[in-house]
Amino acid sequence: MELNPLKMSKGIRVALMGNEAIARGALEAGVALAVGYPGTPSSEVIETLQRYGSEIYAEWAVNEKVALEIGIGASIGGARSLVTMKGPGLNIASDPLLSAAYSGVDGGLLILVADDPGPITTQTEQDSRWYGPLAKLPIISPSNSQEAKDFTVKGIELSERLQLPIILRTTTRVNHSIGEVILGDRKIPKRYQKFEKNPERFVRAGMSWNFERHKWLDSRLKETEKISEDLFLNSLEGDGRKCIVTEGIGYQYVKESVSMENRDIRIIKLGLVFPPPLNFLARSLEGCNEVLVVEELDPFLELTIRSYAKELNLLNVKIKGKIDGFLPLEGELSPEIVRSFIFGKKEEDVMKTELHVPSRPPPLCPGCPHRNSYLAILTGISKAGFKRKDVPIFGDIGCYALSVYPPLSAIWTEHSMGASISMAIGMKLSGFDKPVIATIGDSTFFHTGIPPLIEAVNKRVDMLVVILDNSVIAMTGHQATPSWSETETGRKTKEIKIEDVVRGIGVDELRIIDPYNLDEMASAVAELLKKKGVNVLIARAPCAIYEQRRKGRPGYYTVKEDLCTGCLACIRATGCPALYVTENGKVRIIEDDCYGCGLCAKYCPTDAIVRGD
Amino acid sequence: MGNRINILISSVGGQGGLSLSRMIAVASGISGYSVATGETLGMAQRFGSVKSFVRIGLGEKVYSPVFSLREADYLLCLELIECTRNLGYLRENGRTIASLEVKPPISMSLEASKSKPNYSQYIETLKSFASNEIIFIDPDEVRRAAGTIKAVNAAILGAFVSISNLFEDKVILESMREVLGSEKAIESSRKAYELGKSLAKNKQSLA
């Protein structure tokens, strides 16, 4: 018996992760299309919806820009849609975002953008609330699982009332926290209604039309607070003269602190963070003699309140937040930070242990084909007669970025999706005279790796591109790529072959190789590195974790203790987390974790590592 | 210990720490408690440090999904080095349940040519730090009882339920069904759960 929160009926109280709650909210909002690109902490929304069955379209798109444009296309025909992505994904989708604000929507369009203060799993600590003023679109911000669900429903409603796309902005602690949710009624998905030709609205080639649409957008945006009033996005608690303005997870930290202290404090919580609900703020801030602003990352609300200080009657009131340095601009807030901010308490001394605890960055998994690929690349560089320090390996976004850690210490850069190839182009064009290697995963290649490969071929830039093809989006939890012939929901698709794309672009040489054949791949790297032109090596082997889950592991290895000399050659070559050193200085394999790839055995000079099955 | 209970679950990615936090969250929901969890998941967290916060409110609401150092009433550890890393979260008089499994990180193995590792020091550190007696779970015993080390989280859950008295067995079973899904996993987890309960009981009767 699996309890599926998507199929439970109204009124039931259930513990849901924020992203599961958003998925449930999509059903309660009558969403017909849910599209996105995986990215932590946003991925579980579509994954959860995919468990619901075929009633709504819930699929991954090739990238966030395409996903958003699919959502826009559906919404201008009157259908309701949800588009999901992590913060940096909205940067990629920002082009359609700004145009969508001018054309507006008919069916509700909600864009989930999940930011990651900390950061816990993201390249930057971007604060996507700035997309509100940039795109001139409303932003709503839930603070727990219940609101994650409710704001999804309200966001779709607000979108239709305003005829504008709405941004549902979350942070990791909302997306990935579990909390109680009382479920509402599901609605029948609202699919295509009608689409009438209206170039003034939908064609951005007419400059006078664009000017008029800009005026229209400003007038709609101005109506946001009034139109959203009966959705109760904002709330006011308490009536003290010490006032706190907060939103998102910051609100939960404030509540936690205030509920422990029993003091008279006024909490003004914004669910609508852009445009600022000025009438609500003016009402709520009346009589305050101090205003504390609690928010993560940038002083977004604080700047708003400071800039409207006159309108909010706060000219003689102290406003405290990040600008004067009371709260940090970087990293997550915590209940402790918020507590000392509000009550001025000192943090307690923490007992420390004397023992040094070694750090544990996530390594490449046991049996991971990327480990073999990078070993082959590093060996190939030497084989071709170059020094490793002379040949930069440009990396990209995916599990394989973990090759940066010792012992591989392979990639030199990891920047933004698809940047491995383009940055390698720049290095070469600027006069770098040694070979360059770009390494990029299969899904990242589909996502934004194709245009830079076209650029490299077209501009005749010599480089070796290694496409690390494990045929799945592994890092975010094994989602479908365009190379699948069937998606998670059982939808039959036409599979796109990377080799066809690469050949179509006209690269000079293409080879497909199994990275588990390490020597063969190293030779290929050495050969292609010395050749002129754009040469592509597809290193193809399935993700070991994914394969193991579907088919079981091929076997496992074990160490013959009497033969092990403790030279650690196996560990120094592979860095495989299934290997460790025992207290007697010999190597042991955690057999439960071993995948059975046998790479470590290859490096053992005394043949102490043997198959265990 | 108040009406809000803070639990920190410390594990290595892939061990089942997240399932454990989920089982406790679901069981809390069924029992009518207020619950919030905060965790880091997604990305390639396999074999990395994983820390899950679980907060339970008995008759009052919990708001924040995370808590600060020195605030954990219970520290539940699936691995010894990670347990030591998170000792700072344990409050005075908090309780610790720890599997004796050690999974040294690569950085440590790479250093091992300089000096041989000493893993028993982690047990000693835990013992000297915790003011209450620690319940240790032997992974080999879990393997014998449940047939798989994957059920170690259920053994820890058994010991936790035994000392906290927060949940009825049937509630735990229901949450196992929801979180684990497969019959095979539920069966091995039930066995490990019973093992954990009896380990904790023996410990208490000895004390």
Side-chain angles (χ1 to χ4, degrees):
Chain A
M1 177 194 67
E2 193 206 9
L3 300 171
N4 188 338
L6 299 184
K7 295 191 172 166
M8 290 178 182
S9 40
K10 183 182 175 178
I12 289 180
R13 185 170 158 277
V14 52
L16 292 184
M17 194 203 288
N19 282 342
E20 294 169 331
I22 292 171
R24 170 76 194 196
L27 298 179
E28 293 182 11
V31 160
L33 256 90
V35 220
Y37 187 79
T40 310
S42 70
S43 313
E44 295 83 3
V45 176
I46 299 241
E47 283 179 341
T48 305
L49 284 168
Q50 288 179 331
R51 297 204 329 248
Y52 186 65
S54 57
E55 223 169 293
I56 70 167
Y57 178 93
E59 300 287 354
W60 298 111
V62 67
N63 68 29
E64 293 87 351
K65 171 176 148 68
V66 172
L68 179 53
E69 286 157 351
I70 290 173
I72 294 166
S75 292
I76 60 173
R80 291 182 177 154
S81 50
L82 171 70
V83 183
T84 74
M85 59 197 70
K86 70 184 294 173
L90 190 54
N91 304 340
I92 295 160
S94 59
D95 190 6
L97 181 78
L98 270 73
S99 286
Y102 279 39
S103 54
V105 296
D106 295 291
L109 171 60
L110 189 66
I111 303 158
L112 166 68
V113 53
D115 280 343
D116 185 31
I120 303 170
T121 56
T122 305
Q123 57 267 50
T124 65
E125 284 193 287
Q126 119 176 13
D127 190 332
S128 299
R129 291 178 296 176
W130 296 110
Y131 275 108
L134 177 64
K136 301 195 168 185
L137 288 174
I139 297 199
I140 57 176
S141 166
S143 74
N144 61 13
S145 292
Q146 180 73 56
E147 287 181 357
K149 178 187 83 64
D150 294 345
F151 280 27
T152 302
V153 180
K154 292 174 182 183
I156 290 287
E157 193 173 339
L158 182 59
S159 170
E160 288 187 2
R161 286 190 196 175
L162 277 172
Q163 291 180 281
L164 291 176
I166 305 290
I167 297 170
L168 178 72
R169 191 265 188 172
T170 55
T171 58
T172 307
R173 294 296 177 199
V174 172
N175 296 97
H176 280 172
S177 288
I178 295 172
E180 306 108 274
V181 178
I182 296 167
L183 303 180
D185 249 343
R186 280 164 297 174
K187 279 200 195 87
I188 295 165
K190 192 176 168 204
R191 294 171 58 82
Y192 171 77
Q193 307 291 311
K194 66 172 194 312
F195 179 47
E196 280 165 6
K197 196 171 180 181
N198 183 350
E200 290 88 339
R201 195 178 149 195
F202 296 116
V203 179
R204 293 278 69 80
M207 296 310 126
S208 61
W209 299 340
N210 294 350
F211 179 73
E212 289 306 319
R213 289 308 290 183
H214 189 185
K215 287 203 282 192
W216 171 85
L217 169 60
D218 284 334
S219 70
R220 295 311 291 161
L221 194 63
K222 227 174 170 174
E223 294 296 306
T224 307
E225 182 177 8
K226 207 171 113 208
I227 286 181
S228 67
E229 233 155 33
D230 62 342
L231 294 175
F232 301 104
L233 295 166
N234 313 310
S235 68
L236 168 67
E237 297 164 56
D239 54 4
R241 288 166 67 78
K242 183 168 184 162
C243 302
I244 299 171
V245 178
T246 184
E247 62 104 7
I249 196 66
Y251 168 75
Q252 302 297 342
Y253 299 155
V254 168
K255 279 294 281 182
E256 194 72 43
S257 309
V258 171
S259 72
M260 308 278 265
E261 292 284 334
N262 244 343
R263 294 243 294 269
D264 212 9
I265 292 194
R266 198 186 307 183
I267 305 171
I268 296 137
K269 172 179 178 290
L270 297 188
L272 177 66
V273 298
F274 186 83
L278 291 173
N279 293 324
F280 169 78
L281 279 170
R283 275 199 312 272
S284 311
L285 289 167
E286 212 178 294
C288 294
N289 57 18
E290 187 182 19
V291 177
L292 309 185
V293 186
V294 176
E295 59 190 321
E296 282 186 317
L297 301 179
D298 298 338
F300 183 85
L301 294 181
E302 186 184 352
L303 279 167
T304 303
I305 289 168
R306 281 175 186 263
S307 61
Y308 287 104
K310 185 159 170 270
E311 291 80 353
L312 298 173
N313 284 321
L314 296 174
L315 282 178
N316 299 313
V317 176
K318 179 89 187 144
I319 299 165
K320 281 158 80 174
K322 301 195 165 205
I323 291 165
D324 294 335
F326 292 101
L327 283 175
L329 288 164
E330 305 86 12
E332 281 192 278
L333 292 180
S334 70
E336 199 173 13
I337 294 172
V338 172
R339 197 156 58 224
S340 29
F341 176 49
I342 302 173
F343 298 109
K345 269 191 196 157
K346 270 213 179 139
E347 291 168 26
E348 277 177 57
D349 284 342
V350 171
M351 261 166 76
K352 289 224 168 67
T353 55
E354 296 294 312
L355 192 61
H356 166 71
V357 184
S359 72
R360 192 192 295 269
L364 292 168
C365 299
C368 175
H370 299 326
R371 176 180 289 109
N372 292 54
S373 291
Y374 280 104
L375 272 172
I377 291 168
L378 293 169
T379 313
I381 291 172
S382 313
K383 261 190 164 175
F386 297 104
K387 292 193 176 103
R388 284 183 188 183
K389 66 172 177 52
D390 291 340
V391 181
I393 303 172
F394 290 85
D396 224 302
I397 296 186
C399 295
Y400 45 98
L402 301 174
S403 71
V404 70
Y405 296 116
L408 287 173
S409 307
I411 57 165
W412 293 34
T413 66
E414 190 239 24
H415 196 79
S416 49
M417 294 288 280
S420 56
I421 301 173
S422 358
M423 286 170 66
I425 294 173
M427 185 65 61
K428 285 300 280 186
L429 291 178
S430 66
F432 184 72
D433 61 359
K434 296 213 171 59
V436 291
I437 303 175
T439 56
I440 182 167
D442 52 319
S443 185
T444 309
F445 178 70
F446 283 125
H447 181 282
T448 28
I450 296 171
L453 187 62
I454 292 172
E455 184 72 19
V457 170
N458 178 245
K459 299 295 193 309
R460 306 301 299 143
V461 182
D462 297 334
M463 69 167 68
L464 170 61
V465 177
V466 182
I467 301 176
L468 304 158
D469 179 12
N470 61 5
S471 306
V472 69
I473 310 180
M475 182 158 67
T476 47
H478 300 112
Q479 291 85 2
T481 77
S483 71
W484 290 26
S485 55
E486 187 183 322
T487 70
E488 291 91 337
T489 59
R491 183 178 306 274
K492 300 279 182 245
T493 51
K494 164 120 176 113
E495 57 178 288
I496 311 293
K497 291 199 172 83
I498 292 181
E499 52 269 41
D500 292 348
V501 176
V502 170
R503 275 198 202 98
I505 292 172
V507 301
D508 294 273
E509 186 164 346
L510 166 68
R511 290 194 206 174
I512 303 172
I513 221 157
D514 178 351
Y516 289 114
N517 298 328
L518 188 65
D519 299 331
E520 197 188 325
M521 183 169 165
S523 302
V525 168
E527 226 178 288
L528 294 178
L529 214 49
K530 288 187 281 190
K531 275 190 61 180
K532 289 248 171 243
V534 178
N535 302 301
V536 175
L537 191 58
I538 300 177
R540 177 172 290 156
C543 166
I545 298 290
Y546 193 59
E547 194 72 351
Q548 186 168 349
R549 218 171 271 162
R550 291 190 306 169
K551 301 181 183 164
R553 60 178 175 176
Y556 69 93
Y557 279 73
T558 186
V559 180
K560 286 189 164 168
E561 212 184 294
D562 52 327
L563 292 181
C564 176
T565 61
C567 72
L568 309 188
C570 52
I571 288 175
R572 278 203 295 264
T574 69
C576 174
L579 304 175
Y580 77 100
V581 185
T582 61
E583 294 189 327
N584 66 13
K586 299 195 176 198
V587 172
R588 187 174 292 165
I589 292 176
I590 304 172
E591 287 165 11
D592 289 303
D593 292 343
C594 177
Y595 179 71
C597 72
L599 184 67
C600 53
K602 191 179 159 61
Y603 287 93
C604 180
T606 60
D607 295 325
I609 303 178
V610 295
R611 287 193 77 95
D613 40 336
Chain B
M1 197 159 290
N3 294 323
R4 288 177 189 163
I5 293 165
N6 294 337
I7 305 160
L8 189 84
I9 301 170
S10 174
S11 66
V12 175
Q15 280 192 304
L18 296 176
S19 302
L20 177 55
S21 96
R22 188 92 207 210
M23 284 191 278
I24 298 176
V26 170
S28 302
I30 299 168
S31 307
Y33 306 144
S34 171
V35 66
T37 78
E39 42 221 341
T40 46
L41 52 95
M43 205 174 104
Q45 292 291 352
R46 280 191 161 255
F47 302 98
S49 291
V50 177
K51 198 163 65 179
S52 314
F53 299 85
V54 183
R55 308 195 61 227
I56 302 172
L58 310 178
E60 61 180 90
K61 199 166 157 53
V62 286
Y63 297 98
S64 167
V66 296
F67 50 82
S68 303
L69 294 168
R70 300 294 281 162
E71 289 186 351
D73 301 298
Y74 296 93
L75 176 61
L76 310 184
C77 306
L78 285 79
E79 200 268 349
L80 276 183
I81 298 172
E82 290 311 309
C83 200
T84 314
R85 188 190 311 284
N86 290 307
L87 265 177
Y89 279 95
L90 195 62
R91 62 181 284 167
E92 191 88 45
N93 291 319
R95 297 295 309 264
T96 306
I97 302 167
S99 164
L100 287 167
E101 192 162 7
V102 184
K103 284 176 182 279
I106 299 300
S107 61
M108 201 172 172
S109 302
L110 289 171
E111 293 281 311
S113 52
K114 290 177 206 148
S115 61
K116 283 183 188 172
N118 171 8
Y119 301 122
S120 52
Q121 61 180 337
Y122 293 102
I123 300 178
E124 293 316 312
T125 306
L126 289 181
K127 282 183 178 164
S128 65
F129 189 90
S131 48
N132 273 316
E133 197 185 358
I134 298 169
I135 298 172
F136 286 110
I137 307 250
D138 179 353
D140 289 332
E141 251 185 274
V142 175
R143 211 180 264 111
R144 271 197 299 276
T148 169
I149 191 64
K150 289 202 167 69
V152 71
N153 54 5
I156 292 171
L157 181 59
F160 169 69
V161 170
S162 177
I163 58 172
S164 69
N165 280 316
L166 279 171
F167 304 109
E168 290 176 47
D169 288 345
K170 64 169 197 224
V171 169
I172 293 292
L173 187 62
E174 208 179 323
S175 80
M176 278 182 184
R177 284 213 180 98
E178 184 180 332
V179 176
L180 300 173
S182 93
E183 280 305 320
K184 204 176 142 206
I186 294 167
E187 201 38 49
S188 56
S189 293
R190 279 181 70 166
K191 290 176 183 158
Y193 176 73
E194 291 303 327
L195 170 74
K197 276 185 75 168
S198 63
L199 282 175
K201 281 208 183 91
N202 290 343
K203 196 118 207 175
Q204 278 166 330
S205 57
L206 286 175

